[in-house]
Amino acid sequence: MIRLKSIFILMFLMLLALPTALRAENAFYTAPFNIIPGDTKTLSICLDNDQIIRGFQADIILPEGLTMLKDGDGNFNISLTDRASAFAVSSNEISDGTIRVIGYSFESADLEPGKGTLLKVQVKASESFTGGYIQLKNKILADKSNQDVKLADSQMLVGIKEQNTISVADGEIESGEGGIFSLNLLNDSQMTACQFDVILPTGLSLDLDKSQKTERWSKTHLLQGKDYGDGRVRILLFSSNNKQFNENDGSIWNFWINADKEVSGKQSVKLDNIVFSDIYARTYKFSPILFSVEVKAPSVSLNEDDNNITIRENENKKVNVNVARTMIADGGWYTLCLPFDIDDVSTTPLKDAEIRKYKSMTGSVMNFESTASLKAMHAYLVKPTSNIENPVFEDVTVVSKSDGIVDGANGYEFVGVHSKHELATDGTNLFLGAENKFYIPMETDKTMKALRGYFIAPSAESGAKMGISIDGETTYINGLANGKVMAGKVYNLCGQYVGNDMKALQKGVYVVNGRKYIIK
């Protein structure tokens, strides 16, 4: 004991002998602390330092009724955390109720910059304890340059009613996937176990195999779960030898929630029947808590070539779809076919476009009417009022087949294609092109790109007479000379002629028969 006092005095004199510097960016303080009268508990003394520290000193003054415990050798029960594993600590009562603590290293070890608990002090509250202030005075840090860093005195109010809170932060996962959510516990009480029910809506499920323990578990903590089959899973987390959770803030369980592929949007999960217990077997009942799980649809892309695999892999899934189509607002009508329903175009990139769907046949004339919704795998006419480039349709369900309803009658049809498709060149297959007129595909260029629509006539002769009526304006195939394809010359935006084959052109904007086209 005499040797310990000698070391204490030596280290204290060394600290006092150093020159003084004020460093407001360092903090040496008591963590928030409450204790129930009669209980024994660990008090945390924290250090937040942005520079290397070689030693420290502080006087701890406890309120009446709160005493610092001693170990079997009669020394105050004060220990260093892993932050100062190369340090030693000494303590001594210098006056009634004041304990001076000094931390030091004989090997001039460094206490690296950081934040958090530095000292743990065992204290006991008397049965008559009514609260008060814990004070830290004469706080001095020794830095790497052998200068003192003097800190202002501080105090922390100690209550006799412990504060404990639990929470789960809102989060998001993808449809058909899952993710981690954390049960956070901020506790004054020395909690050792808990029980609660996780109540999930239809389409969400708890995966215990993917759930994770946290650093707050002791080596003896165990978790058990029971699935009641009605969306409710009971969780029991406990220690086999009544060890309390490590620290007093942070997650005590990271649990995995899965979302079915058909689910999307904001879902609400409830934790109910929440009960914690402490090392004294006292129980603490918490009110139910709710948190939100935003289920995001995964993203897929549809191109102008082959979409069969993408559609098959995502069939019946809720997804966000990026469509590789560009439609210029040049007054022309485009054809469009999508592998998903759209109930209301006003919530999509098509909101400002004019859209027409098949209505009826009048002889060989196909009549169209306005629509605000689209059915999967059907073809539509679209006239954009502003350019539409690579539109993204959110939270839609992909399908691989149409509903079987034919858009047409008497052998005349308007057919959508979700992947590239070869058209017949005998006059029975027509496509809508420049100047909103029908064209017959050429043998050298008969492949229609994906996500479009084409027209079918029962024969070449009837195809020559076929027309479409949009808003009362009718266009016929025989509006073209001899019913043949108008071989359009291609010009760039400078007016220079660049050929007749758009497939041979580089990326850019071109004009064919007065209509702009973008090649990507």
Side-chain angles (χ1 to χ4, degrees), residues 392-411:
V392 177
F393 297 87
E394 298 182 347
D395 204 22
V396 295
T397 302
V398 173
V399 300
S400 62
K401 297 179 181 179
S402 71
D403 53 16
I405 298 174
V406 176
D407 292 325
N410 305 322

Side-chain angles (χ1 to χ4, degrees), residues 358-361 366 405-414 456:
Y358 167 78
K359 177 183 180 184
S360 62
M361 293 296 301
M366 186 173 288
I405 298 174
V406 176
D407 292 325
N410 305 322
Y412 294 93
E413 293 182 34
F414 185 27
I456 296 178

Side-chain angles (χ1 to χ4, degrees), residues 181-217:
F181 292 78
S182 296
L183 174 60
N184 296 296
L185 170 66
L186 176 61
N187 56 296
D188 282 341
S189 304
Q190 300 173 82
M191 299 299 194
T192 182
C194 62
Q195 170 193 292
F196 53 89
D197 293 343
V198 183
I199 302 175
L200 302 121
T202 301
L204 297 187
S205 59
L206 187 64
D207 191 333
L208 293 179
D209 291 336
K210 290 185 177 180
S211 299
Q212 305 165 356
K213 64 181 182 180
T214 73
E215 293 180 351
R216 295 197 62 188
W217 288 29

Side-chain angles (χ1 to χ4, degrees), residues 245-375:
F245 292 115
N246 297 322
E247 304 300 331
N248 66 343
D249 189 13
S251 174
I252 59 169
W253 186 43
N254 296 330
F255 54 101
W256 186 280
I257 293 179
N258 286 321
D260 292 349
K261 64 182 182 179
E262 297 84 7
V263 177
S264 64
K266 183 174 289 187
Q267 311 292 321
S268 182
V269 178
K270 183 179 183 180
L271 297 190
D272 203 0
N273 300 319
I274 308 167
V275 180
F276 278 73
S277 63
D278 65 14
I279 60 174
Y280 303 104
R282 292 183 297 230
T283 58
Y284 304 77
K285 186 173 178 60
F286 291 80
S287 299
I289 61 174
L290 294 172
F291 63 96
S292 295
V293 178
E294 184 72 29
V295 182
K296 296 285 189 181
S299 296
V300 299
S301 296
L302 298 178
N303 57 52
E304 294 185 305
D305 189 29
D306 188 349
N307 296 305
N308 287 312
I309 294 177
T310 300
I311 291 174
R312 184 169 60 251
E313 290 180 345
N314 292 281
E315 186 171 10
N316 298 323
K317 287 185 180 180
K318 286 275 190 180
V319 294
N320 296 327
V321 181
N322 188 329
V323 176
R325 282 294 305 272
T326 297
M327 293 179 278
I328 304 298
D330 57 4
W333 288 94
Y334 292 78
T335 59
L336 178 66
C337 173
L338 299 171
F340 48 82
D341 290 347
I342 297 177
D343 294 329
D344 183 4
V345 296
S346 67
T347 62
T348 75
L350 301 176
K351 61 184 179 179
D352 296 324
E354 296 183 41
I355 302 175
R356 301 292 185 267
K357 68 176 182 178
Y358 167 78
K359 177 183 180 184
S360 62
M361 293 296 301
T362 303
S364 61
V365 176
M366 186 173 288
N367 303 305
F368 285 82
E369 64 180 350
S370 179
T371 184
S373 62
L374 279 67
K375 299 296 291 183

Side-chain angles (χ1 to χ4, degrees), residues 234-254:
R234 175 153 294 176
I235 299 299
L236 179 61
L237 176 55
F238 63 98
S239 168
S240 59
N241 63 350
N242 203 36
K243 288 284 289 183
Q244 68 187 76
F245 292 115
N246 297 322
E247 304 300 331
N248 66 343
D249 189 13
S251 174
I252 59 169
W253 186 43
N254 296 330

Side-chain angles (χ1 to χ4, degrees), residues 7 12 14 41 52 58 88 96 129 245 283 317 341 364 386 406 416 434 474 518 520:
I7 294 173
F12 179 55
M14 287 173 63
K41 199 170 179 181
I52 290 175
D96 186 25
F129 180 62
F245 292 115
T283 58
K317 287 185 180 180
D341 290 347
S364 61
S386 59
V406 176
T474 304
I518 294 180
K520 294 191 174 183

Side-chain angles (χ1 to χ4, degrees), residues 485-501:
V485 173
M486 181 184 294
K489 292 184 178 181
V490 183
Y491 298 87
N492 62 24
L493 293 182
C494 295
Q496 297 170 315
Y497 172 68
V498 292
N500 293 339
D501 186 1

